[in-house]
Amino acid sequence: LEVFSDTIVCIGTEASLTTLTTGTGTLTYDWSNGSTDPNINPSPTSLTTYTVTVTDSRGCSLTGEVTVDVKSNSVIAFAFPDSIILGQSTQLSADTLGNASYSWFPVFGLDNDTVPNPTATPIDTIIYCVIAVGDNGCIDTACVTVNVTIPEPSIQIPTAFTPNGDGRNDTWQLIVNPCYEILDAFVYNRWGQTLYSYKAAGGSDWNGTLLGQPQPMETYIYYIRAKCSEYDYEEIYKGNVTIIR
């Protein structure tokens, strides 16, 4: 009686145990795990010895055994920091002790998905996972959540105003939240002519004129750059504003 086996397996995987026997007539099998099949595929969780007794039709029997060792791998995933503001990045990290290769997923927002410490710049809260293959060939997976805070809009932008001198909505007024500053804002007509510049106007509202001349009732295009002192990136706003007379 010979018993062949995967003598080393990774935890969570099957070992293939196969018997090679000779005997008279029908052979019966009695494994130590209760199986009566000639070949078995157990999934041990620790070092385990399996025995099998084979009996032929004349009652003659032989017993063999094989020991299966179980290996495992472990990986832990981190994010530093694990909470960011939209537009910021975070450093992902997987421990390197005993690990040979890495595969991060999803790949969206990652600068490299096959290194232990990629930089992530997600646009929304996301769970990143890493599959690590150990030096022993065994696999483990770990995940980490990166929380992304999407700030409130930096400014409130009117879509229309009525420069008719009645004291109500006479100017295109940008309302700025406390931490923000407007770096510049422009208004263009349909031909691309600049009608208003926030900087050139010294931060004053647009009154719907160009060089003192009232502009016609129609829709214009604005382009605004704004930045909050708490964040390290600019925000760009594009849209339309309509003069109503």
Side-chain angles (χ1 to χ4, degrees), residues 172 184-188 194 196-198 221-225:
W172 187 57
D184 212 341
F186 300 92
V187 176
Y188 307 96
T194 301
Y196 167 79
S197 166
Y198 181 84
I221 301 167
Y222 65 77
Y223 177 91
I224 302 169
R225 292 169 50 233

Side-chain angles (χ1 to χ4, degrees), residues 40-80:
I40 61 174
N41 299 99
S43 299
T45 58
S46 59
L47 183 70
T48 303
T49 298
Y50 295 91
T51 61
V52 59
T53 299
V54 181
T55 305
D56 66 12
S57 58
R58 296 188 300 178
C60 297
S61 63
L62 292 172
T63 299
E65 68 176 35
V66 64
T67 298
V68 179
D69 195 7
V70 179
K71 302 295 183 181
S72 63
N73 186 44
S74 177
V75 66
I76 302 175
F78 306 91
F80 304 98

Side-chain angles (χ1 to χ4, degrees), residues 89-93 103-115 117-123 126-130 144 146:
S89 297
T90 183
Q91 187 78 57
L92 303 182
S93 180
S103 178
W104 290 88
F105 65 94
V107 299
F108 182 81
L110 299 181
D111 66 339
N112 190 328
D113 63 325
T114 59
V115 296
N117 55 346
T119 298
T121 312
I123 62 173
I126 190 171
I127 298 175
Y128 284 111
C129 296
V130 59
V144 62
V146 176

Side-chain angles (χ1 to χ4, degrees), residues 211-223:
L211 301 177
Q213 296 298 313
Q215 296 303 293
M217 185 173 66
E218 62 179 70
T219 298
Y220 300 88
I221 301 167
Y222 65 77
Y223 177 91

Side-chain angles (χ1 to χ4, degrees), residues 81-98:
D82 59 7
S83 294
I84 60 174
I85 302 294
L86 177 65
Q88 296 179 334
S89 297
T90 183
Q91 187 78 57
L92 303 182
S93 180
D95 58 302
T96 57
L97 182 63

